[in-house]
């Protein structure tokens, strides 16, 4: 089943074309790693998928439903508001900076969204939340406030919160970029477990080793465009494009 399909997506900020003619297909259970230099449009493209950014041209389909389409007059038409919310609700998103509510406990951060947005009963949500906290190894922190957590713990709570909405697709926008190196591993371990469970995921990441290990497909973006798409072993071992070779040489040299 095709979970995400984009065709010719463009997004411009003033005179900058942040996303330029991006077409991508994601099938059920597939893990896609999006890599590339800073400012290459990776995060903007991810935000276009769930309507955090409105596109200027192109088509976005989620599980066969049209979220955005471009008419004959060149104008982008989005699905009706109620339909757009429902379609976007099929995707959960984890941001770079956690975005937890500081005045809510860990448990409240996870239970409030499904109770308010999906109108799920408190008892059912509490059970789901505790299962998810156990899954990410933070059940003992359920009554703690975010200010008492490490960065890695906050990000794992953010992942649990997104999963509590029971999405079919998870979008990760550089989930470890705000973490110290020693905290990165615990977050990547959680995402790795989701990959083993065949969760459909798009992951914008600078963690090249993680992308190579976990992704089914790697997409390299530069200047808003998809330069090359392929299997991790092809992209990391024998990329066709010189731009990718130069990028990987720089990144891997820096890591070493």
């Amino acid at each position: 089943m095709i979970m995400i399909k984009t065709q010719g997506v463009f997004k411009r900020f003033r005179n900058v074309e942040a996303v330029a003619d991006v077409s991508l297909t994601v099938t059920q259970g597939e893990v896609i790693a999006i890599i590339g230099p800073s400012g290459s449009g990776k995060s903007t493209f991810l935000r276009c998928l769930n309507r955090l950014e409105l596109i200027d041209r192109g088509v976005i389909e989620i599980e066969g439903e049209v979220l955005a389409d471009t008419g004959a007059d060149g104008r982008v038409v989005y699905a009706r508001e109620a339909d757009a919310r429902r379609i976007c609700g099929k995707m959960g998103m984890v941001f770079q900076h956690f975005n937890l509510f500081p005045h809510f406990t860990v448990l409240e951060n996870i239970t409030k969204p499904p109770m308010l947005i999906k109108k799920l009963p408190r008892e059912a949500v509490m059970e789901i939340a505790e299962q998810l906290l156990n899954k990410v190894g933070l059940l003992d922190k359920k009554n703690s406030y975010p200010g008492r957590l490490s960065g890695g713990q906050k990000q794992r709570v953010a992942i649990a919160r997104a999963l509590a909405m029971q999405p079919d697709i998870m979008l990760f926008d550089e989930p470890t970029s705000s973490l110290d190196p020693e905290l990165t591993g615990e977050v990547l371990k959680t995402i790795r477990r989701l990959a083993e469970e065949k969760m459909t995921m798009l992951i914008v990441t600078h963690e090249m080793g993680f992308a190579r290990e976990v992704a089914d497909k790697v997409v390299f973006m530069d200047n808003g465009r998809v330069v090359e798409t392929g299997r991790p072993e092809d992209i990391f071992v024998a990329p066709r494009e010189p731009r990718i070779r130069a990028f990987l040489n720089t990144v891997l040299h820096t890591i070493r």
Side-chain angles (χ1 to χ4, degrees):
M1 178 179 179
I2 295 177
M3 304 296 279
I4 297 174
K5 184 176 181 180
T6 70
Q7 294 176 284
V9 169
F10 285 80
K11 174 61 183 178
R12 177 184 291 272
F13 295 106
R14 294 186 179 178
N15 295 324
V16 178
E17 212 158 54
V19 176
D21 197 22
V22 173
S23 298
L24 182 69
T25 299
V26 184
T27 58
Q28 188 171 23
E30 195 170 30
V31 178
I32 308 293
I34 305 177
I35 66 172
S38 297
S40 59
K42 307 182 301 295
S43 296
T44 300
F45 174 67
L46 215 63
R47 292 170 65 86
C48 288
L49 294 178
N50 60 6
R51 211 175 48 145
L52 291 177
E53 298 288 354
L54 301 181
I55 64 174
D56 297 313
R57 192 160 80 248
V59 181
I60 300 175
E61 296 180 14
I62 308 297
E63 294 185 20
E65 294 191 89
V66 177
L67 174 65
D69 196 1
T70 303
D73 60 358
R75 294 183 179 181
V76 174
V77 178
Y78 275 83
R80 293 181 304 176
E81 183 60 29
D83 290 332
R85 285 199 302 269
R86 178 180 53 77
I87 293 169
C88 290
K90 297 179 180 184
M91 295 174 283
M93 187 160 183
V94 177
F95 300 88
Q96 299 177 33
H97 300 292
F98 326 130
N99 292 0
L100 299 179
F101 297 108
H103 56 292
F104 287 160
T105 65
V106 164
L107 194 60
E108 289 170 336
N109 262 281
I110 295 171
T111 57
K112 293 287 186 181
M115 289 170 60
L116 294 173
I117 298 171
K118 290 203 166 186
K119 310 299 181 184
L120 296 178
R122 185 178 186 277
E123 296 74 17
V125 173
M126 289 289 287
E127 183 178 353
I128 291 170
E130 292 198 349
Q131 289 174 355
L132 289 171
L133 281 173
N134 187 55
K135 184 174 188 173
V136 300
L138 290 173
L139 184 58
D140 61 326
K141 300 292 186 182
K142 67 179 182 179
N143 294 318
S144 299
Y145 286 89
R148 308 284 297 186
L149 304 179
S150 70
Q153 289 171 334
K154 290 176 184 177
Q155 194 61 294
R156 283 185 284 159
V157 172
I159 293 172
R161 180 178 62 181
L163 290 172
M165 295 296 287
Q166 301 176 320
D168 297 331
I169 302 160
M170 286 288 286
L171 309 176
F172 291 91
D173 185 11
E174 299 188 25
T176 61
S177 66
S178 298
L179 303 179
D180 294 332
E182 63 268 24
L183 300 177
T184 295
E186 61 191 50
V187 175
L188 296 182
K189 181 179 179 181
T190 299
I191 300 174
R192 188 179 290 109
R193 188 177 300 121
L194 293 176
E196 292 169 353
E197 295 171 0
K198 300 302 181 183
M199 168 65 77
T200 305
M201 294 188 284
L202 267 73
I203 308 169
V204 171
T205 183
H206 290 293
E207 299 289 339
M208 297 298 108
F210 176 74
R212 184 172 181 174
E213 174 191 350
V214 174
D216 299 301
K217 185 188 299 179
V218 175
V219 175
F220 181 88
M221 290 185 66
D222 191 25
N223 292 321
R225 297 182 180 275
V226 173
V227 176
E228 187 173 338
T229 301
R231 299 178 303 171
E233 55 266 37
D234 296 329
I235 296 294
F236 288 104
V237 176
R240 296 190 305 270
E241 297 293 331
R243 178 67 185 93
I244 303 177
R245 290 197 293 272
F247 170 78
L248 291 175
N249 285 338
T250 300
V251 171
L252 297 178
H253 176 75
T254 301
I255 292 173
R256 287 196 293 268

